Amino acid sequence: MSINCLEGNLFGLFLIIYIIILMSNGTIFLITKMDPALQSPMYFFLANFSFLEICYVSATLPRMLLNLGTQRRRISLVACATQMCFTLMFGGTECLLLAIMAYDRYVAICNPLHYPLAMNHRVCLRLATGSWTIGIPFHIGQTCQIFSLPFCESNHISHFFCDIFPVLKLACGDTFVNEMLVYTVAVLFGMVPFLLILGSYSKIISIILKLPSATSRAKAFSTCSSHLMVVVLFFGSAIITYLRPNTRHSEGTDKVLSLFYTILTPMVNPMIYSLRNKDVIIALRKLICK
């Protein structure tokens, strides 16, 4: 009875979280498309980011809600592979998109005169398309390689979705090659974008500190602070999860960290971007008053 009660409470909690994520990110996506004041490259990428967050959380939460609601903790091999593949693709896209958003801020602050030309609509469209598509063959190949392994008799995944390391633990035989592939892809789609973001922001901060007035410095910092908070929250948990040695992976820690980058980050991102952005707040007020 207590287990059923706990699962019922978890179902209610995650359902509320899912609705909040859909509504908040959907609202950000809507206002960036409708409001004429939010048609700059920064808001174009923010619209992509909000839509991505909806896709990312929809790869894991609906299945979790189904399992909690029906109390049947089962998933087929095909469904598990599909969930893993989409989770990896959306996660990789988020890393690349955050790096592109950092580059956008770098050009806007460090080369403002070239910004309209360097970040015109065609360039923005190509960058966004690349972030969505470039990782697809890597993640499909990685998923196929993992699910081509022979699995032992135990088929219990100690996780709330089909993540790489919990699935690899079920495989029989040597998984060294698969683990090396995981680390390679994590470096390409996680560490490299993160280092590019750090490089962009180191240059941005050095330029901002040279601005003559405190007002101009505060205005420049305000355009970057929201994005920087999201970067720390997402990359911090994701890099720790996927770049730790496999011997140091613990089930409890992995579950907590995965909650950060798959559920908590998509939930708080709209709050971070809206509460710290005057243009978004004004657009929200217009939408509410209509």
Side-chain angles (χ1 to χ4, degrees), residues 149-186:
L149 292 168
F151 290 95
C152 303
E153 293 182 4
S154 174
N155 58 0
H156 175 72
I157 301 174
S158 183
H159 210 55
F160 65 88
F161 71 97
C162 291
D163 204 1
I164 294 177
F165 288 110
V167 172
L168 278 178
K169 287 180 180 179
L170 304 180
C172 298
D174 188 14
T175 59
F176 176 78
V177 174
N178 301 87
E179 290 171 17
M180 288 301 101
L181 181 62
V182 171
Y183 294 133
T184 302
V185 173

Side-chain angles (χ1 to χ4, degrees), residues 229-251:
M229 290 171 66
V230 172
V231 166
V232 171
L233 187 62
F234 177 78
F235 276 99
S237 55
I239 288 175
I240 292 171
T241 300
Y242 289 104
L243 290 178
R244 280 183 303 161
N246 197 24
T247 53
R248 298 184 64 181
H249 280 263
S250 66
E251 293 179 0

